[in-house]
Amino acid sequence: MDNRKPYQLVSREWKSENTVFDINGVKVGESLLMIAGPCAVENEEQIFTISEFLSKLGVRFLRGGAYKPRTSPYSFQGLKTEGLVMMRNAADKYGLSVVTEIMSADKIDELCEYADVLQVGTRNMQNYPLLRSLSKIDKPILLKRGMSSTVEEWLLAAEYLLSGGNHKIILCERGIRTFETATRNTLDLSAVALVKALSHLPVIVDPSQATGVRDLVPSMSVAAIAAGADGIIVEVHNQPEEALSDGDQSLYLDQFEKMLPPLRKAGAIHQRTFDFDLPRVPVEA
Ligand code: PEP
Ligand code: MN
């Protein structure tokens, strides 16, 4: 054990080279990741429309919540199993991998059946029984930073996953709480550069939860890649005004398409390319 840092397995001292692992043909940690989709799965038309659009642009990862952690118990809580089925069907039709949130350990089996990546949300980053359970499964985990967590607490949460045996971890900076209320959260991009130095794990950015404001998402996405992030996860909706959650921060489809060229340029700063530029194997309809 190296006693200089409280975390071990996540550290660069433990493993100097970047962690790279494969998810359905995409080398995470090597290709820049683009994970896009609605905040929540709402109905078939919505998820199929968005999936078709994203797939045509070459996007490989579809996000969408079926179990939603909502601040109010009266808000839309997600379509649960029904949403997972819709999302999996849409993803299979358009050749996408599914990223969706897990809120409790009792849903691990169900979510593993439908999803390719399990997202641990900001509210659960320090749910240690959940982390311990997820450390035992063979499924990549997207670990969001707790909205009030330090970088050290975030890395220690990842340490729970690695120490239990799950090494397929993607860290995600999604904004933290500060005194500033003009944006939903404060996007801590310095944490991205810092964690890239401290850890070998891939780090991505969620500019949607970070800002809460759709028009800030393209510039913050570019900034994230320029800062050295390994990708982004972004909310996109075919009808943001009608969205059942997070409509204000969801990009219009054309807005999403327009930000891809600047993102490629930001990647080029680090001689990196996005997964949406990988050659695609055609999907059988
Ligand atoms: C989300 O991705 O929709 C979400 C709820 O994320 P976070 O846990 O970062 O708030
Ligand atoms: Mn959301």
Side-chain angles (χ1 to χ4, degrees):
M1 290 278 266
D2 173 350
N3 292 323
R4 285 169 299 176
K5 294 224 170 94
Y7 45 84
Q8 304 288 325
L9 305 178
V10 303
S11 73
R12 281 265 179 216
E13 286 81 2
W14 192 272
K15 180 170 177 275
S16 57
E17 70 279 13
N18 288 335
T19 286
V20 174
F21 56 89
D22 183 282
I23 306 178
N24 299 330
V26 174
K27 294 246 176 309
V28 178
E30 196 176 287
S31 293
L32 295 168
L33 285 194
M34 170 59 82
I35 306 172
C39 179
V41 183
E42 297 171 1
N43 55 61
E44 281 198 330
E45 201 215 323
Q46 175 234 25
I47 199 69
F48 276 77
T49 303
I50 296 171
S51 299
E52 180 178 16
F53 171 80
L54 293 174
S55 160
K56 282 188 176 148
L57 294 173
V59 171
R60 304 297 183 107
F61 291 89
L62 175 67
R63 63 148 290 149
Y67 292 94
K68 292 299 301 177
R70 303 306 302 282
T71 301
S72 164
Y74 306 117
S75 301
F76 174 60
Q77 303 284 309
L79 296 181
K80 307 187 172 75
T81 306
E82 202 191 343
L84 291 174
V85 173
M86 279 178 203
M87 197 179 175
R88 186 72 258 172
N89 288 340
D92 286 346
K93 178 163 183 195
Y94 295 108
L96 301 164
S97 298
V98 165
V99 181
T100 197
E101 180 158 352
I102 178 143
M103 292 203 292
S104 55
D106 62 327
K107 294 292 187 295
I108 289 179
D109 288 347
E110 184 188 34
L111 286 168
C112 282
E113 191 182 330
Y114 293 103
D116 300 287
V117 178
L118 303 186
Q119 170 179 330
V120 175
T122 193
R123 294 161 183 81
N124 267 317
M125 189 207 84
Q126 289 180 307
N127 181 340
Y128 300 119
L130 177 62
L131 296 177
R132 283 232 190 265
S133 301
L134 293 173
S135 77
K136 300 289 175 207
I137 65 170
D138 182 22
K139 197 61 103 171
I141 307 294
L142 177 61
L143 180 64
K144 298 260 192 130
R145 178 181 182 181
M147 63 180 90
S148 302
S149 296
T150 63
V151 163
E152 190 168 294
E153 288 163 341
W154 186 21
L155 289 173
L156 283 166
E159 187 84 12
Y160 268 84
L161 296 168
L162 269 73
S163 62
N166 192 341
H167 292 256
K168 293 182 184 168
I169 310 304
I170 306 166
L171 298 169
C172 179
E173 160 62 38
R174 48 78 70 205
I176 52 173
R177 286 223 160 147
T178 67
F179 57 83
E180 181 58 78
T181 53
T183 49
R184 187 176 181 186
N185 291 287
T186 297
L187 177 56
D188 185 6
L189 282 184
S190 57
V192 174
L194 177 62
V195 171
K196 289 297 295 174
L198 295 174
S199 175
H200 52 83
L201 293 173
V203 186
I204 68 168
V205 168
D206 180 339
S208 309
Q209 323 302 322
T211 61
V213 182
R214 157 185 326 119
D215 288 346
L216 298 179
V217 169
S219 55
M220 290 305 100
S221 300
V222 169
I225 298 304
D230 295 289
I232 57 170
I233 175 168
V234 60
E235 289 182 347
V236 181
H237 200 287
N238 54 327
Q239 289 177 303
E241 295 81 7
E242 310 293 322
L244 298 180
S245 61
D246 288 351
D248 291 349
Q249 67 192 33
S250 298
L251 292 173
Y252 291 102
L253 301 185
D254 64 328
Q255 236 179 340
F256 175 80
E257 186 168 356
K258 277 198 201 108
M259 83 174 180
L260 301 187
L263 280 173
R264 286 190 183 96
K265 286 190 186 162
I269 298 172
H270 302 286
Q271 290 83 45
R272 296 182 75 179
T273 50
F274 270 91
D275 58 354
F276 52 71
D277 283 327
L278 290 173
R280 275 178 82 83
V281 182
V283 187
E284 309 251 334

